[in-house]
Amino acid sequence: MKHLISMRDLSADKTLQLLKLAESLEKDPSQIDLSRRVMAAMFYEASTRTRMSFESAMKRLGGEVIGMVGTSGTSVEKGETLADTAKIMARYSDIIVMRHPMEGAARYVSEQVDVPVVNAGDGANQHPTQSLLDLYTILKSQGTLKGLKLALVGDLKYGRTVHSLAYALAPFNPTFYFVSPKSLRMPAHILSDLTQKGVSYKEKTTVENIIPEIDIMYVTRIQRERFPDREEYEKVKNAYIITANLLRKAKDNMKVLHPLPRVNEITTDVDSTKYAYYFDQAENGVYMRQAILATLLGEAK
Amino acid sequence: MKELKVDPIKNGTVIDHIPAGRVQRVLAILKPRATDVVMMGMNFSSKAMKKKDIIKIEGRELTQNEVNSIALVAPAAKVSIIRDFKVAQKSRVEIPKRIEGLVSCPNPKCITNAEPMTTIFNLEDSSSRDLACQYCERVFTADEMTHI
């Protein structure tokens, strides 16, 4: 594995290897030493969690971080091409982690440079490190990835995270409930891909009735920036709000996940229940990203 | 009166069975040289297609690569190489497995539309005419593509 660009490139074996390494790094980070290694963060878009968890991952393994957030004050503002910026960053660093609003940007950069490239989000296309940390979180909270019942809730149309998660879990015999307003349903091409892979799913518009059945509830924010139409956003923005009261009938092992930031879709009274797992999920991002950095830098044993 | 609405050519290439109305798009892809003699027929009747367009290029033999480049707009086209008024070679167009620099990506958010770079599309499977952009990973039908 030279780069990490898309979940499509990742075999089930490689995925399991990364999950295993994340687990072992969580227990003992001292097994990997990335001192004198430099990670370049090329963030063409704002991001707090992804960028900071990458920085934390690199630094906790002894490495250093350089980089940019946004393009103001950089040569990008002067009209430098993405390829040129990336080639320079590659001379300054051992690995590039990049986020860019255009789809396919990370793949393009990976073809232009000699150092490994990690895609930390390319527009609405892929965000493989999020998918991997979600898998790690599900594995850690349930003890297995196999045969789980999962509800994916919220914006299933524009939500890149839930699309990759559905694909990432497909080999593990899941049952999905896709819960969304009608205007934000899971895209038809993804549903037909899942059918082809033999994955069973049901589409729902409300979440209440399935709560007693599920192992994982994955909630996503309905993102204003994905809507071309303000009116459409106003109509659906409060469609699914998860409260502690709503979770009364949940199974003991049920966990609520969310890629964060949340706005109001999970009320704060859920935080103190045994079902809340989204902050652990964010922490897991550090271990997963440590596993990815170590693997791509050739330090994984 | 069945054929020969346009003159036969001595040497060159005949492209038959172009879907009616697409002859100009095919020509735009083939980019004839300023000196090429080109005859173009539109809305000829056809048993298989009801109506079809046709192109004859005098004095130029198209290569298989050139022939395949029209596959996205004229998937059923038949190409004949003519030498001394006789058909010397016949072929069908085939969508290449990998299409480089020929069409632009219909996704406005694709990086190929923002950077000075070559587009690459891969044929999803040989039975369909769906093409996946190597960069944004979106899949398009051949009819959605615009030639560069």
Side-chain angles (χ1 to χ4, degrees), chain A residues 70-130:
Chain A
T71 54
S72 91
T74 70
S75 46
V76 178
E77 265 196 341
K78 299 171 190 158
E80 187 172 59
T81 62
L82 175 59
D84 278 6
T85 310
K87 281 174 190 164
I88 302 302
M89 291 291 238
R91 302 288 176 115
Y92 296 165
S93 65
D94 303 296
I95 188 165
I96 290 174
V97 175
M98 69 172 285
R99 167 169 292 190
H100 196 280
M102 300 298 277
E103 297 163 23
R107 172 92 57 201
Y108 176 54
V109 164
S110 75
E111 293 169 351
Q112 301 293 317
V113 300
D114 292 327
V115 301
V117 175
V118 181
N119 183 6
D122 57 336
N125 185 31
Q126 286 271 335
H127 191 3
T129 69
Q130 178 74 46

Side-chain angles (χ1 to χ4, degrees), chain A residues 10 30 33-36 73 75 90 117-118 126 164 170 188 190 202 225 245 273 283:
Chain A
L10 215 56
S30 72
D33 179 12
L34 298 183
S35 55
R36 286 187 302 279
S75 46
V117 175
V118 181
Q126 286 271 335
S164 331
I190 296 182
K202 286 194 181 110
E225 57 268 31
N245 187 42
T273 68
E283 180 184 329

Side-chain angles (χ1 to χ4, degrees), chain A residues 218-247:
Chain A
Y218 197 105
V219 185
T220 60
R221 180 164 61 100
I222 294 182
Q223 297 184 60
R224 187 174 51 216
E225 57 268 31
R226 301 274 182 228
F227 280 82
D229 186 354
R230 179 73 198 249
E231 203 182 325
E232 189 62 31
Y233 169 71
E234 292 296 330
K235 258 193 246 167
V236 297
K237 69 172 184 187
N238 292 327
Y240 303 101
I241 295 179
I242 309 302
T243 61
N245 187 42
L246 191 69
L247 300 177

Side-chain angles (χ1 to χ4, degrees), chain B:
Chain B
M1 196 194 74
K2 189 172 153 279
E3 262 300 336
L4 302 182
K5 282 179 187 143
V6 286
D7 288 341
I9 54 175
K10 186 177 181 202
N11 294 303
T13 308
V14 176
I15 308 170
D16 199 355
H17 290 97
I18 299 166
R22 293 204 175 166
V23 69
Q24 276 143 329
R25 284 174 69 188
V26 171
L27 271 180
I29 296 161
L30 292 177
K31 298 185 182 76
R33 291 179 286 250
T35 50
D36 282 345
V37 176
V38 177
M39 283 170 277
M40 140 183 136
M42 295 170 77
N43 295 318
F44 285 22
S45 40
S46 152
K47 269 187 201 149
M49 310 172 74
K50 286 191 180 155
K51 279 177 186 250
K52 66 177 182 182
D53 291 353
I54 188 167
I55 294 172
K56 299 188 181 193
I57 305 173
E58 177 81 60
R60 178 173 162 202
E61 294 188 4
L62 294 186
T63 64
Q64 191 63 40
N65 267 348
E66 286 174 303
V67 166
N68 287 342
S69 68
I70 68 166
L72 294 179
V73 289
K78 284 177 194 157
V79 181
S80 307
I81 303 295
I82 310 291
R83 288 177 198 141
D84 200 19
F85 295 109
K86 285 194 186 109
V87 177
Q89 201 181 304
K90 268 195 164 202
S91 64
R92 283 182 175 277
V93 303
E94 231 177 81
I95 299 184
K97 285 205 170 62
R98 187 180 159 94
I99 298 176
E100 281 193 50
L102 187 65
V103 286
S104 59
C105 184
N107 172 11
K109 297 278 285 175
C110 179
I111 190 69
T112 57
N113 291 312
E115 287 281 312
M117 60 188 282
T118 306
T119 60
I120 300 173
F121 289 87
N122 298 298
L123 196 62
E124 279 277 277
D125 61 87
S126 48
S127 60
S128 82
R129 292 167 62 226
D130 292 347
L131 299 166
C133 174
Q134 169 142 328
Y135 296 96
C136 72
E137 303 187 14
R138 296 215 192 174
V139 178
F140 303 95
T141 63
D143 293 334
E144 289 176 274
M145 311 308 285
T146 314
H147 285 258
I148 292 167

